[in-house]
Amino acid sequence: MRISEHTMQPLLRWAIRFLEDFSEDIVAAWDEYRMLHSRRPEHRRGQRRGRKSGELQADPRVFLDGLRSRGEGLPGSRRDDGTLGPAWRHIASLLDCSASIENTGSGRLILESGLPIADDCYLDTPATADLDGQPWHPRIPFDEAPRLARLLSTACFIIVAYLSGARVGEVINLRRGCVSHDKDLGLWLMEGLYFKGAEDEEGNKIPEGTVREDPWVIIEVAAKAVAMLEQLHDSHLLFPNRLKPIKTTPGMETKRRGEARADRLIADDITKFTDWVNERCRLLGRKDHIPADAGGTVAPSRFRRTLAWFIRRKPRGLIAASIQYGHAYTQMLQGYAGSYEAGFLDDYAFEDWLFRMEGIAEDERRLLAGEHVRGPAADAYRYRVQAASREFAGRVLNSERHARDMLATHSCRSTTATA
């Protein structure tokens, strides 16, 4: 079941906005988060910093002077009784020292600085992009960075999965370095694995998939999404199960987790992406929110049928800037998505079938209402509309491939051509 255009269009627009407008801020905040996270006390056990005498005493003064010059307070956290207190673990990360700084002369210097205590631990990374002339996000708290990084990853998934025509399993198993640019042909190529029909020489199914011979041909915005994912993390997979570092206990082996993100998690991520966008629109009074889809949850498995619908019904509709759906389809036909093994042409055939059947039904309705048709092909037109209606009315399609076979029939092709 396809996704409504009233849902899909703003979903894609916001995904591209994340990629093109917000990504630089998010990646910078995420990098700062990971650096500070690596300095947390639980990651420092067994390590010695090797500071020189007096170095630690100098750091708090520079730290406090910086806060004063920017008009900021001390990083804060809520106590159990609801009052604010210094966030010593975060301060220790900023100063790259032990959390025991609270009980040292440096800790007393910080407490006696006279600076107010902020309501959270904010990153230094500023929000430079804007929406309607104001920052797209207020100051980014430390614990907000992983959420924003996940939202950016989700935006990139929406772009790559929707605009490539690839199956969900093929997208979530894409590897780092999968995209290249053929300068001679001027095409962006995306390589990956395929799973459906993957067999060895003896006809045995290959569960882990196998590398396809022909790559997908994708448009530039999808290639940019892949490049952004490669900046976002160090995993060999573009869509790993986790972006946030796993908390570990020194000396204990980390429990093995599934590497690739599951379909269910992707669907949850899209829901969270939509919720974030709609909340931001509410706060800023924007009207371009993402409406709920009548078909329910926006599952990634619905992208291919939706793309086929847009290509057939809105070929001149804009994806981004001057990129039209018709142009994207022309590109896709040159790669694996244009082969019948990929399955996308079956999705397109189904939408093509529905489009033609609706046209035939409308032509017949107008003829029955007395519409006058002139010209040398008028009689042939009336005959073919009636013949097509008799042949196809009430016909049940068992599969997308069945739709492709039906489109090849003489009645369907000739009626459309005459019309």
Side-chain angles (χ1 to χ4, degrees):
M1 182 179 184
R2 71 176 178 85
I3 302 165
S4 163
E5 63 176 311
H6 301 295
T7 299
M8 191 65 234
Q9 284 292 75
L11 177 65
L12 181 60
R13 279 197 298 267
W14 274 100
I16 293 175
R17 180 172 287 149
F18 257 75
L19 173 64
E20 296 185 342
D21 297 341
F22 305 158
S23 60
E24 185 175 342
D25 292 346
I26 294 174
V27 170
W30 178 234
D31 287 345
E32 184 182 352
Y33 170 90
R34 289 194 291 178
M35 181 270 291
L36 293 173
H37 188 276
S38 69
R39 293 179 176 181
R40 283 290 175 92
E42 59 267 26
H43 299 296
R44 293 177 53 85
R45 293 169 188 165
Q47 302 177 16
R48 296 186 65 85
R49 178 71 162 78
R51 290 176 178 270
K52 297 179 181 179
S53 177
E55 185 180 355
L56 179 57
Q57 286 75 18
D59 286 350
R61 294 188 180 91
V62 175
F63 168 65
L64 294 172
D65 289 343
L67 292 178
R68 288 192 187 95
S69 66
R70 297 191 298 270
E72 299 174 6
L74 294 170
S77 61
R78 291 281 177 187
R79 300 189 181 101
D80 292 338
D81 61 2
T83 61
L84 282 170
W88 289 111
R89 292 174 71 247
H90 189 74
I91 292 173
S93 294
L94 290 169
L95 297 177
D96 196 14
C97 66
S98 169
S100 61
I101 186 177
E102 177 182 0
N103 304 314
T104 66
S106 296
R108 288 191 296 274
L109 178 66
I110 292 172
L111 280 175
E112 296 170 1
S113 66
L115 289 172
I117 299 175
D119 59 354
D120 210 329
C121 302
Y122 293 99
L123 298 174
D124 289 337
T125 301
T128 59
D130 65 77
L131 276 174
D132 300 330
Q134 54 186 312
W136 71 278
H137 198 287
R139 290 191 64 192
I140 301 174
F142 175 81
D143 289 329
E144 178 71 2
R147 181 189 183 201
L148 293 176
R150 187 79 172 201
L151 290 172
L152 177 57
S153 174
T154 302
C156 291
F157 176 88
I158 292 168
I159 293 168
V160 175
Y162 179 63
L163 296 178
S164 68
R167 297 181 175 92
V168 178
E170 295 168 335
V171 175
I172 61 179
N173 281 281
L174 289 172
R175 264 62 171 174
R176 180 178 295 273
C178 64
V179 168
S180 61
H181 186 246
D182 189 317
K183 294 182 179 179
D184 294 333
L185 298 176
L187 300 176
W188 291 96
L189 307 177
M190 185 173 76
E191 298 179 340
L193 304 175
Y194 73 94
F195 298 86
K196 188 173 182 179
E199 298 177 344
D200 59 23
E201 296 178 355
E202 297 179 356
N204 299 313
K205 186 176 180 179
I206 305 176
E208 65 273 19
T210 188
V211 178
R212 67 177 70 262
E213 294 182 3
D214 300 314
W216 291 277
V217 176
I218 58 176
I219 59 177
E220 187 174 6
V221 68
K224 289 181 178 178
V226 170
M228 180 53 60
L229 290 164
E230 292 174 342
Q231 291 185 51
L232 198 57
H233 56 74
D234 300 322
S235 173
H236 67 289
L237 292 169
L238 293 187
F239 300 100
N241 190 28
R242 293 174 62 91
L243 292 179
K244 188 175 180 179
I246 300 174
K247 182 179 179 180
T248 59
T249 301
M252 298 293 290
E253 183 179 353
T254 303
K255 183 178 180 182
R256 183 175 177 83
R257 300 170 182 263
E259 288 188 288
R261 207 172 302 178
D263 294 12
R264 177 185 57 79
L265 290 179
I266 289 287
D268 290 344
D269 286 340
I270 294 174
T271 298
K272 292 174 182 176
F273 181 85
T274 300
D275 290 344
W276 186 95
V277 167
N278 289 344
E279 176 63 14
R280 190 62 52 189
C281 288
R282 185 189 68 80
L283 292 173
L284 298 178
R286 295 179 63 92
K287 303 299 183 183
D288 56 343
H289 67 285
I290 305 173
D293 183 61
T297 302
V298 178
S301 58
R302 301 170 63 193
F303 281 164
R304 279 159 57 103
R305 175 61 57 78
T306 306
L307 176 62
W309 185 91
F310 271 96
I311 288 172
R312 188 61 184 90
R313 308 285 182 127
K314 310 268 187 180
R316 295 185 180 179
L318 293 180
I319 296 171
S322 60
I323 303 173
Q324 296 180 336
Y325 278 99
H327 170 68
Y329 185 54
T330 301
Q331 296 279 88
M332 291 167 62
L333 288 179
Q334 299 179 68
Y336 181 74
S339 69
Y340 284 119
E341 289 79 6
F344 179 73
L345 291 186
D346 290 335
D347 287 288
Y348 179 78
F350 189 87
E351 293 300 331
D352 193 15
W353 164 268
L354 292 178
F355 182 78
R356 296 194 192 195
M357 292 306 100
E358 289 173 11
I360 290 172
E362 177 63 17
D363 290 343
E364 185 182 36
R365 185 191 66 78
R366 289 181 176 180
L367 287 175
L368 292 175
E371 181 181 57
H372 186 64
V373 183
R374 297 179 179 178
D379 291 339
Y381 168 73
R382 283 188 289 267
Y383 170 78
R384 288 171 178 170
V385 167
Q386 295 167 358
S389 179
R390 288 194 301 270
E391 182 173 354
F392 299 118
R395 182 68 64 92
V396 176
L397 298 181
N398 299 318
S399 66
E400 287 85 352
R401 186 156 295 188
H402 187 197
R404 174 162 55 87
D405 295 339
M406 292 296 294
L407 283 171
T409 63
H410 176 74
S411 296
C412 187
R413 284 185 287 107
S414 61
T415 302
T416 307
T418 304

